[in-house]
Amino acid sequence: MKRALVTGGTRGIGFEVCKLLLEKGYLVTALYSKDEESAKQAKARLKGVEFLRADVSKEKDIKRVFEEIPSLDLLVNNAGVELYKLAQDTAFEEWRHVMDVNAGGAFLCAKHAVKKMLDKGGSIVNISSVWGQTGGSMESVYSASKGAMIAFTKALAKELAPMNVTVNCVSPGVIDTDMMKRFSAEEKRALSEEIPLGRLGTPQEVAEAVLFLAEHKYITGEVLSVNGGFYM
């Protein structure tokens, strides 16, 4: 039975990835950072998933997690934080926090995951964003962190290919998750009108893309856009 680790696994895209992997027979471990209420709800809904609390930006936390996991076939780097703010109003500490969690977390988890994949191969799937490809106004820091994940994906794919470890990236567009809560229903309708398929995406659709890349043995270094045609 394959074993998967999903960061940020209690809500939104991460939750749906855990759910789908569980349905496909994976042994799933999900990481979460601080939101105990979301973790409690996720535990009640995803029987069989192991939930561990860890801050992906702290290497001591990640080392502890990988010491507890006996083996690993799939790592999904989904944990992330957003920042909706003008660049000139952003403190350097805020920049560092977003970069440490989004890009730094992907690096730390990949660094320790690889050690468990070298003998038999495996798969790493990073969750970026359309803003990592195009840049988003008022989201320059978030965009930078997600762009870094794309570059990291491509470089790591070249590095790990000889060890039979694939590394790919899913780049969601406008997905109906908690990150969209700041938008009103009218604003969401306006966003939908900018999307050729005419609607927001769902976390389940992103999860399906993650599974596809996780199980494909001859795709590596790719960015799979799940955005309804928002960016082509």
Side-chain angles (χ1 to χ4, degrees):
M1 188 174 289
K2 292 183 178 180
R3 185 179 297 272
L5 175 68
V6 181
T7 69
T10 61
R11 296 184 298 171
I13 291 170
F15 177 89
E16 293 300 331
V17 169
C18 289
K19 180 180 177 183
L20 183 57
L21 292 175
L22 191 65
E23 290 171 356
K24 296 299 180 179
Y26 282 76
L27 293 172
V28 183
T29 299
L31 301 189
Y32 69 99
S33 179
K34 298 176 181 177
D35 193 343
E36 291 288 355
E37 182 56 34
S38 291
K40 181 179 179 181
Q41 294 176 14
K43 289 175 185 177
R45 295 175 62 190
L46 293 178
K47 302 293 186 183
V49 173
E50 178 186 27
F51 289 88
L52 298 177
R53 182 169 180 173
D55 184 341
V56 296
S57 69
K58 307 295 184 186
E59 187 161 18
K60 62 179 179 61
D61 282 17
I62 299 308
K63 287 178 69 175
R64 171 179 52 80
V65 166
F66 281 94
E67 285 170 358
E68 294 182 26
I69 297 175
S71 63
L72 192 67
D73 299 281
L74 168 63
L75 167 66
V76 181
N77 280 314
N78 170 71
V81 293
E82 63 173 339
L83 183 67
Y84 191 70
K85 208 170 188 179
L86 289 168
Q88 64 264 34
D89 296 330
T90 301
F92 186 57
E93 290 75 15
E94 292 175 304
W95 162 277
R96 291 186 63 175
H97 176 64
V98 174
M99 294 298 291
D100 283 353
V101 174
N102 296 359
F107 162 71
L108 287 175
C109 289
K111 171 185 175 179
H112 291 279
V114 168
K115 298 171 186 177
K116 293 188 177 290
M117 296 179 177
L118 294 180
D119 291 338
K120 59 177 180 177
S123 176
I124 297 173
V125 181
N126 297 319
I127 309 298
S128 180
S129 165
V130 64
W131 299 140
Q133 297 171 290
T134 68
S137 178
M138 295 285 289
E139 297 188 78
S140 59
V141 178
Y142 178 78
S143 299
S145 71
K146 292 300 187 175
M149 291 182 73
I150 290 173
F152 179 59
T153 295
K154 291 179 175 294
L156 193 62
K158 294 177 180 178
E159 193 172 311
L160 298 181
M163 280 75 83
N164 198 32
V165 176
T166 62
V167 187
N168 290 289
C169 187
V170 174
S171 181
V174 187
I175 308 299
D176 199 8
T177 66
D178 286 348
M179 283 190 175
M180 294 298 297
K181 282 184 176 179
R182 68 170 181 270
F183 295 98
S184 67
E186 185 177 340
E187 288 171 326
K188 287 183 180 181
R189 281 194 295 271
L191 275 170
S192 296
E193 291 174 2
E194 296 182 37
I195 301 169
L197 284 180
R199 64 175 178 84
L200 306 187
T202 68
Q204 293 91 336
E205 288 167 324
V206 180
E208 289 166 2
V210 170
L211 180 66
F212 169 73
L213 290 175
E215 299 200 330
H216 205 294
K217 301 304 181 185
Y218 203 61
I219 295 177
T220 195
E222 288 299 319
V223 179
L224 178 55
S225 296
V226 184
N227 62 33
F230 185 63
Y231 168 70
M232 300 185 188

